[in-house]
Amino acid sequence: MTPSRTRRRSQSPSSEDSAIEPEISTIERFTTVVIGAGHAGLAASHFLSERSLDHVVLERGELANSWRCERWDSLRLLTPNWQSRLPGVPYAGDDPDGYMTALEVVELIVRFAATARAPVRTGTNVTSVRGVYDGYRVTTSHGEIHSRTLVIASGACNLPMVPAFAEAVPADIEQLTPFDYRNPDQLLDGGVLVVGASATGVQLAAELRRSGRPVTMSVGEHVRLPRIYRGRDILWWMDASGVWDQRYDEVEDLTRARRLPSPQLVGTPERTTLDLNELTAMGVELVGRWASVRDGRALFSGGLRNVFSLADLKMERLLSGFDDWARTYGSDAKLGPAERFAPTETPASPRWQLDLRSGEIRTILWATGFRPDYRWLDVPVVDTKGQLRHDGGVVVDSPGLYALGLSVLRRRKSTFLYGIEDDAREVVDELSGYLMGGSRVLGSSETVRS
Ligand SMILES: Cc1cc2nc3c(=O)[nH]c(=O)nc-3n(C[C@H](O)[C@H](O)[C@H](O)COP(=O)(O)OP(=O)(O)OC[C@H]3O[C@@H](n4cnc5c(N)ncnc54)[C@H](O)[C@@H]3O)c2cc1C
């Protein structure tokens, strides 16, 4: 199938407005529009092409835009190279256990777009999507498109989240998000308060400490993991034991699983572990979760010991599960001995407050997570928390609308590069079934399976 182009001339102008150019409305038609040319949108394109479904991929920036524009200079993937594979594009380098730089991820995605022959239109911003009687009307910076179906692959991390009390921070402290941050040279001299202890928080706290700055890190709920366990990358264990393949409809608390912070991992050539003990050894001061600002003072929650114990306990449970798996499936002999790691050390007397007017802190770096941006989506399918209402990527209450690239969309591995293949294949299967009149259409109160 090839896209059709419908040109409609407005009615003949009356004598009064004959001086006005007749309005020409150009509406292109596709079976499917995909929004976003990151790896998720391109994977959708790959499977749409396999099924000969005509489509277009609309991208406001360039291919792999978020890896070009929204990552800091030193970022490397926390997933090993052998997991940096996309449909039809396996990892072909000579360092399967290394970790790609952001630039290498751009190259991988560009290669994937070429291999998949994805029909991408870069520099095309989608400003609105509306439901119409037989599909969707997509308004872009270059005109209007009608599509019967639509795949939202616009990313899960479009906007950094910053708590509302950030507004009460004194004006002479510079506030940055990971989208603004590139490297330590860009910061004022002096102390930095890093807020958040997920992958982003620990990586940036370590980098800033290494630059010689005093660093304080505010720690809330987090996921602690060793880089290497029993001689294997921790993500090898996640993959081999089936943890990452766990399906969304098998996860006990899906809402919670979708909100879990990213694990404390960093990808370095030395394959080092970067946990809170490591940061403490580097001289980073740990404080509790930042709760509020009062009279120019940052107030931190107590209970740091409990937060640490919980993360340690969860890590222990996960590692014990891996040991059980290795015993059951006869891999024990091929692996190193079971290991246990020192509990996270709690500072003797963590500070409960910090005077933001004292000059001690010159910069605050908010590593407090990201969220998607659906301000362009004029279809009522976004919940009060700003998340798309969907069941395994089939959007609820909006037939023909699909999503990819969201946390635990269909599996625990959904947001990762190597997690997209299974999700994209299945979501395109759903879409194709819908076009043929045989797939499920979800309403908020019921699941209709025809
Ligand atoms: C800091 C960080 C580190 C990560 N590390 C890893 C890792 O180690 N390993 C791993 O596998 N994954 C990692 N991820 C997760 C994941 O791979 C990325 O989030 C990935 O970018 C998601 O791919 P995507 O295609 O879903 O979204 P994106 O790559 O964000 O692509 C979405 C695209 O949609 C475009 N877009 C958005 N809105 C519009 C619009 N209105 N009109 C037109 N285009 C639009 C954007 O410009 C963008 O190009 C990381 C993510 C982050 C944020």
Side-chain angles (χ1 to χ4, degrees), residues 36 39-40 59-60 65-66 71 77-79 126 415-417:
H39 76 268
E59 168 55 54
R60 63 183 170 189
N65 204 47
S66 57
R71 307 285 186 261
L77 291 188
L78 49 82
T79 42
V126 173
T415 31
F416 293 96
L417 291 164

Side-chain angles (χ1 to χ4, degrees), residues 35-41 58-62 64-67 70-72 75-79 124-127 153-158 200 370 373 376 404-405 415-418:
I35 302 179
H39 76 268
L58 305 178
E59 168 55 54
R60 63 183 170 189
E62 292 181 64
N65 204 47
S66 57
W67 292 100
E70 296 167 0
R71 307 285 186 261
W72 57 94
L75 180 131
R76 280 178 184 269
L77 291 188
L78 49 82
T79 42
T124 305
N125 189 26
V126 173
T127 53
S154 51
C157 302
N158 306 117
T200 303
F370 304 94
D373 181 6
W376 46 267
L404 277 172
T415 31
F416 293 96
L417 291 164
Y418 97 122

Side-chain angles (χ1 to χ4, degrees), residues 226 229-231 234 236-238 241 243 315-333 335-341:
Y229 182 60
R230 300 179 64 179
I234 194 73
W236 176 86
W237 287 93
M238 294 283 199
S241 66
V243 168
M315 178 178 72
E316 293 273 328
R317 266 199 223 134
L318 186 76
L319 300 181
S320 299
F322 289 159
D323 294 338
D324 292 345
W325 170 83
R327 259 191 306 277
T328 310
Y329 291 96
S331 312
D332 238 2
L335 296 157
E339 299 168 75
R340 287 301 172 261
F341 298 91

Side-chain angles (χ1 to χ4, degrees), residues 58 101 109-110 160 180 191 219 223 240 244 246 269 291 293 308 344 350 353 373 376 382 386 434 439:
L58 305 178
T101 62
I109 293 175
V110 169
D180 312 312
V219 182
V223 179
W244 268 19
Q246 192 182 18
V293 179
F308 290 175
T344 308
Q353 52 175 288
D373 181 6
W376 46 267
V382 177
Y434 166 74
S439 175

Side-chain angles (χ1 to χ4, degrees), residues 197 202 217 219-220 222 224 264 274-282 284 286 304 307-308 311 344-345:
V202 295
M217 189 161 86
V219 182
H222 57 274
R224 181 184 178 196
Q264 290 173 342
L274 181 59
D275 58 15
L276 298 181
N277 284 347
E278 186 59 33
L279 288 175
T280 301
M282 291 171 73
V284 173
L286 305 181
L304 210 47
V307 174
F308 290 175
T344 308
E345 284 166 39

Side-chain angles (χ1 to χ4, degrees), residues 40-351:
L42 296 169
S45 174
H46 170 91
F47 288 108
L48 288 165
S49 294
E50 256 190 16
R51 287 179 168 274
S52 303
L53 289 168
D54 71 87
H55 65 280
V56 64
V57 182
L58 305 178
E59 168 55 54
R60 63 183 170 189
E62 292 181 64
L63 285 172
N65 204 47
S66 57
W67 292 100
R68 293 175 196 265
C69 307
E70 296 167 0
R71 307 285 186 261
W72 57 94
D73 294 349
S74 65
L75 180 131
R76 280 178 184 269
L77 291 188
L78 49 82
T79 42
N81 286 338
W82 61 268
Q83 286 188 337
S84 293
R85 56 175 191 246
L86 290 164
V89 182
Y91 176 70
D94 56 5
D95 184 19
D97 294 324
Y99 308 92
M100 284 189 180
T101 62
L103 195 62
E104 288 168 329
V105 181
V106 172
E107 286 163 6
L108 171 72
I109 293 175
V110 169
R111 198 162 68 245
F112 177 42
T115 310
R117 295 172 185 272
V120 182
R121 289 187 194 169
T122 53
T124 305
N125 189 26
V126 173
T127 53
S128 158
V129 169
R130 286 182 289 124
V132 290
Y133 79 99
D134 59 346
Y136 295 91
R137 181 64 56 85
V138 182
T139 307
T140 80
S141 46
H142 298 308
E144 301 234 326
I145 299 176
H146 176 279
S147 68
R148 282 190 66 200
T149 56
L150 197 130
V151 180
I152 299 173
S154 51
C157 302
N158 306 117
L159 299 170
M161 293 197 290
V162 175
F165 61 72
E167 286 183 13
V169 168
D172 58 347
I173 294 184
E174 187 176 25
Q175 299 188 50
L176 296 175
T177 71
F179 278 18
D180 312 312
Y181 176 81
R182 288 292 170 271
N183 56 58
D185 293 346
Q186 139 201 23
L187 265 61
L188 302 166
D189 283 339
V192 186
L193 175 55
V194 176
V195 191
S198 63
T200 303
V202 295
Q203 289 177 27
L204 298 187
E207 173 163 291
L208 289 162
R209 181 69 198 120
R210 271 188 231 108
S211 77
R213 290 176 172 77
V215 175
T216 306
M217 189 161 86
S218 164
V219 182
E221 188 192 0
H222 57 274
V223 179
R224 181 184 178 196
L225 289 179
R227 177 77 268 178
I228 304 294
Y229 182 60
R230 300 179 64 179
R232 297 290 191 131
D233 195 294
I234 194 73
L235 299 187
W236 176 86
W237 287 93
M238 294 283 199
D239 182 58
S241 66
V243 168
W244 268 19
D245 275 322
Q246 192 182 18
R247 291 180 59 89
Y248 75 109
D249 44 12
E250 294 165 358
V251 172
E252 213 170 285
D253 185 345
L254 184 58
T255 309
R256 191 177 151 67
R258 285 182 170 159
R259 283 202 208 126
L260 267 187
S262 57
Q264 290 173 342
L265 284 175
V266 63
T268 59
E270 301 78 27
R271 305 172 81 199
T272 41
T273 292
L274 181 59
D275 58 15
L276 298 181
N277 284 347
E278 186 59 33
L279 288 175
T280 301
M282 291 171 73
V284 173
E285 180 188 351
L286 305 181
V287 295
R289 191 170 199 280
W290 190 349
S292 62
V293 179
R294 200 175 306 149
D295 302 329
R297 287 171 181 275
L299 305 185
F300 306 112
S301 308
L304 210 47
R305 189 179 300 277
N306 291 343
V307 174
F308 290 175
S309 302
L310 193 64
D312 290 350
L313 185 74
K314 286 183 180 165
M315 178 178 72
E316 293 273 328
R317 266 199 223 134
L318 186 76
L319 300 181
S320 299
F322 289 159
D323 294 338
D324 292 345
W325 170 83
R327 259 191 306 277
T328 310
Y329 291 96
S331 312
D332 238 2
K334 292 180 227 140
L335 296 157
E339 299 168 75
R340 287 301 172 261
F341 298 91
T344 308
E345 284 166 39
T346 313
S349 41
R351 283 200 274 180

